[in-house]
Amino acid sequence: MTKIKEPLKTVLRKFCHVECYNPQLIREAVIIGHGFPYDIILVKAQLREAIDNQLITPEEYEELTDEDFDSQQDLQLWLEKLFTELP
């Protein structure tokens, strides 16, 4: 199992859980800094690296977020969408 780097791991767990995912919440948290004490540039760089190198497996993502993907390709598409939604 690949180790997902911090702070990306925490951001996925905190902001991408299947029951509470809201891209607007992420954008607002980044803008005001409340609840998002993470370097957004670092998070985006880590996410880009994870996408480009397929570093996150569907199993790992599900463990963090309870979101179930049937394939690596489906997860990759979702991660690309998430990347575009980050400010």
Side-chain angles (χ1 to χ4, degrees):
M1 192 187 287
T2 305
K3 287 283 264 178
I4 301 170
K5 295 178 183 177
E6 289 293 348
L8 178 60
K9 183 176 184 176
T10 298
V11 169
L12 293 175
R13 181 176 35 247
K14 185 173 183 177
F15 291 96
C16 295
H17 193 275
V18 68
E19 293 180 5
C20 66
Y21 175 71
N22 182 342
Q24 183 62 30
L25 177 66
I26 296 172
R27 285 191 291 275
E28 288 174 8
V30 170
I31 290 168
I32 63 173
H34 180 69
F36 206 96
Y38 312 108
D39 178 347
I40 191 61
I41 295 170
L42 176 59
V43 170
K44 285 186 80 168
Q46 289 175 340
L47 181 56
R48 181 81 262 152
E49 177 185 24
I51 293 167
D52 291 347
N53 297 302
Q54 296 188 10
L55 299 178
I56 302 173
T57 67
E59 296 79 19
E60 288 172 312
Y61 193 82
E62 182 177 6
E63 186 177 305
L64 289 173
T65 68
D66 285 337
E67 180 77 26
D68 183 23
F69 287 94
D70 294 329
S71 69
Q72 185 70 41
Q73 182 180 10
D74 289 344
L75 175 60
Q76 290 297 116
L77 291 172
W78 165 248
L79 293 174
E80 284 288 355
K81 183 177 188 287
L82 175 61
F83 184 84
T84 62
E85 291 177 348
L86 291 176

